[in-house]
Amino acid sequence: MTAKVLFTGKTHNTSGRDGGTRSSDGLLDLKLSQPHPAAENLFGAAWAACYMGALEHAAAQRKITLPTAPAVDAEIDLVLDSGSYFLRARLNVSLPGVDHEVAQTLVDAAHEICPYSKATHGNINVETNLL
């Protein structure tokens, strides 16, 4: 079986006081005068969006109807330790109206589905909190 590219995101980024990022489709057009916290915020927003899709996919696979749309608050820390930079993350997941045990199953499954979770697995400390 051959892998099929579903989408390629393309951005052009510039640095400096007038720096920013713009996607090739024009849907993303932001001023980024500082490399951080913008980078951490963008990473968190992208990961949370992907993770919500993974939660919905996990629910559909299990034939679970979510009473409301999920919400994910992502917190991405840029950490400096002994002269080395690294990231740390917390995903705070809300699945209102879903039994806690079922919700936890979906949260766990989403980590196996979400490409961002896969990319960070074993690379950064990730804490997932079911709210």
Side-chain angles (χ1 to χ4, degrees):
M1 184 173 187
T2 303
K4 178 181 175 185
V5 175
L6 300 177
F7 179 80
T8 299
K10 297 179 185 178
T11 59
H12 176 72
N13 299 274
T14 55
S15 64
R17 191 174 68 231
D18 295 322
T21 187
R22 179 172 170 74
S23 63
S24 61
D25 61 10
L27 293 175
L28 180 66
D29 189 2
L30 301 170
K31 285 195 155 293
L32 304 173
S33 59
Q34 297 180 23
H36 69 85
E40 290 75 25
N41 288 336
L42 288 169
F43 183 64
W47 192 353
C50 179
Y51 196 84
M52 284 187 295
L55 285 166
E56 291 170 343
H57 185 72
Q61 284 179 325
R62 290 159 179 77
K63 298 182 181 7
I64 296 170
T65 302
L66 298 176
T68 60
V72 177
D73 294 324
E75 299 174 3
I76 309 297
D77 299 325
L78 175 62
V79 181
L80 175 61
D81 186 21
S82 302
S84 181
Y85 294 96
F86 63 93
L87 297 176
R88 181 173 55 202
R90 284 169 306 289
L91 299 177
N92 300 310
V93 182
S94 176
L95 289 167
V98 179
D99 173 78
H100 185 80
E101 188 174 310
V102 172
Q104 188 62 57
T105 298
L106 295 176
V107 165
D108 295 341
H111 269 302
E112 301 299 319
I113 296 168
C114 175
Y116 282 79
S117 294
K118 289 178 183 181
T120 59
H121 184 76
N123 295 315
I124 70 173
N125 182 4
V126 179
E127 180 183 311
T128 306
N129 302 304
L130 178 58
L131 305 178

